[in-house]
Amino acid sequence: MAMITATLASAFFSVVGVARRQVQVINSWRQARQDYAALCEMDDKTLADLGLSRGDLRDATAAGYFGDPTVIVATRAAERGHGRRPQVVAVTGPSIVPDVVSHLPRVATCN
């Protein structure tokens, strides 16, 4: 009897897990649609600041009804590199310029 109860409990929790994942998929799909709708409501200048154009939004509809159009839009913005600041690379290691200043005599300053 304990074996049947354990099997039924395992099956129940498996079904609950599948249902939970499906709800998460639906919620993320709805969020992507809302984000896409917000992008569609922006004016052209704001879209340009994000590195996007109206054509990019039209192309995002190729994802289909159940696809995620924000993935296509994010890819387009990343391709153009907008919204990124140039990265400063710190150079470490020995200098190739000789240190001649440290060998010069110090000059007394006037008071």
Side-chain angles (χ1 to χ4, degrees), residues 9-85:
S10 176
F12 173 75
F13 287 121
S14 294
V15 169
V16 169
V18 168
R20 181 177 292 154
R21 283 189 295 277
Q22 291 301 319
V23 168
Q24 288 173 345
V25 166
I26 291 170
N27 285 338
S28 65
W29 172 79
R30 284 183 37 219
Q31 183 64 45
R33 286 286 169 186
Q34 289 173 351
D35 294 344
Y36 178 73
L39 285 172
C40 290
E41 292 175 4
M42 292 181 182
D43 62 345
D44 291 339
K45 185 176 183 318
T46 306
L47 287 174
D49 287 343
L50 296 173
L52 298 171
S53 68
R54 291 276 166 212
D56 296 331
L57 297 180
R58 279 190 299 275
D59 292 346
T61 60
Y65 187 73
F66 290 106
D68 185 357
T70 58
V71 171
I72 295 172
V73 171
T75 303
R76 291 290 173 88
E79 286 172 352
R80 293 190 184 105
H82 286 297
R84 294 185 191 165
R85 293 184 180 182

Side-chain angles (χ1 to χ4, degrees), residues 107-111:
V107 178
T109 58
C110 299
N111 289 341

